[in-house]
């Protein structure tokens, strides 16, 4: 069974700290992996997509890595800000023909304190 | 640019009543369309997806159905709601090419009482 797990479920850090969110997946035959941000009561915003042939992707203060052999992905947030407070979800796609069919982790809720 | 509209934002319905949630996408053609549900304390679960008009695939057996009457319109329905249908429903779209991101609507919070 294909599963995606995120640890920890919640994280609280002071402003300015660098942090890493973890995501693990059971099936290494992943096609791509996406990281999303969700604010309370809102839809999801796509942050980064890493193709199976890639090792990492960067966007501003965000860097996501993918290690298929170990079944892990990480989202690195540099110099965290209170505006980064949200739930972060990772999701894996296992089909090249329909990459919107995603298996989601439960998310990590991040709080950045001023 | 592409946009996705989903309505209503919140909905409170009695058990046994019908349901219709609508989603439309603008600024693109031939998108793949999806309905996800996020239940309290649970992760996002794919309910339905569509790769074209009239083409619907169901991922889990349930009390809901979906339809795609037009290229950029996706509808989630139920004839009789159950308490277990409560949750946050999200419509999403992706381009019909490999390795494209998934873009979500703002969601509908459904409470069945």
């Amino acid at each position: 069974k294909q599963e995606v797990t995120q640890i920890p479920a919640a994280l609280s850090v002071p402003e300015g700290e660098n942090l890493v969110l973890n995501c693990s997946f059971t099936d290494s035959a992943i096609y791509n992996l996406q990281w999303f941000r969700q604010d309370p009561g809102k839809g999801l915003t796509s942050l980064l997509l890493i193709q199976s042939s890639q090792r990492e992707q960067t966007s501003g203060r965000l860097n996501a890595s993918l290690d298929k052999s170990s079944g892990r992905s990480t989202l690195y947030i540099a110099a965290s800000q209170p505006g980064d407070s949200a739930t972060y979800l990772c999701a894996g796609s296992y089909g090249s023909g329909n990459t919107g069919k995603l298996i989601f982790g439960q998310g990590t809720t991040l709080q950045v304190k001023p | 640019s592409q946009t996705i509209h989903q309505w209503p934002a919140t909905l409170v319905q009695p058990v046994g009543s019908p349901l219709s949630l609508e989603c439309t996408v603008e600024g693109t053609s031939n998108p793949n369309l999806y309905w996800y549900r996020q239940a309290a304390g649970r992760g996002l679960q794919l309910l339905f997806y569509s790769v074209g008009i009239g083409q619907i695939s169901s991922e889990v057996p349930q009390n809901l159905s979906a339809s795609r009457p037009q290229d950029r319109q996706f509808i989630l329905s139920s004839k009789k709601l159950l308490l277990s249908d409560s949750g946050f429903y999200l419509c999403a779209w992706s381009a019909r090419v490999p390795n494209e991101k998934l873009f979500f609507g703002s969601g509908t919070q459904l409470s069945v009482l």
Side-chain angles (χ1 to χ4, degrees), chain A residues 31-34 36 38 41-52 89 96-106, chain B residues 32 34 36 38 41-46 49-51 59 88 90 94-107:
Chain A
Y31 187 73
N32 64 46
L33 187 134
Q34 296 187 52
F36 295 88
Q38 185 176 28
K42 305 293 184 182
L44 279 68
T45 300
S46 179
L47 297 175
L48 292 163
L49 181 150
I50 311 174
Q51 300 178 30
S52 60
L89 298 114
S96 62
N98 196 340
T99 56
K101 289 179 62 179
L102 298 176
I103 298 174
F104 279 86
Q106 295 273 15
Chain B
N32 289 335
Y34 309 85
Y36 279 84
Q38 190 173 35
R42 301 177 63 180
L44 274 144
Q45 182 182 40
L46 178 63
Y49 70 92
S50 172
V51 299
E59 289 294 294
F88 191 49
L90 290 153
S94 68
R96 205 175 294 177
V97 292
N99 287 310
E100 281 294 315
K101 291 181 177 179
L102 189 63
F103 298 96
F104 282 85
S106 55

Side-chain angles (χ1 to χ4, degrees), chain A residues 29-103:
Chain A
I30 199 164
Y31 187 73
N32 64 46
L33 187 134
Q34 296 187 52
W35 282 92
F36 295 88
R37 169 184 171 140
Q38 185 176 28
D39 292 291
K42 305 293 184 182
L44 279 68
T45 300
S46 179
L47 297 175
L48 292 163
L49 181 150
I50 311 174
Q51 300 178 30
S52 60
S53 59
Q54 298 173 328
R55 300 282 291 182
E56 64 180 298
Q57 282 286 323
T58 298
S59 176
R61 294 183 293 109
L62 305 179
N63 176 278
S65 67
L66 176 64
D67 185 341
K68 289 180 60 178
S69 61
S70 66
R72 293 181 180 180
S73 176
T74 61
L75 179 66
Y76 174 82
I77 303 177
S80 59
Q81 303 170 359
D84 294 330
S85 299
T87 296
Y88 291 82
L89 298 114
C90 70
S93 169
Y94 287 91
S96 62
N98 196 340
T99 56
K101 289 179 62 179
L102 298 176
I103 298 174

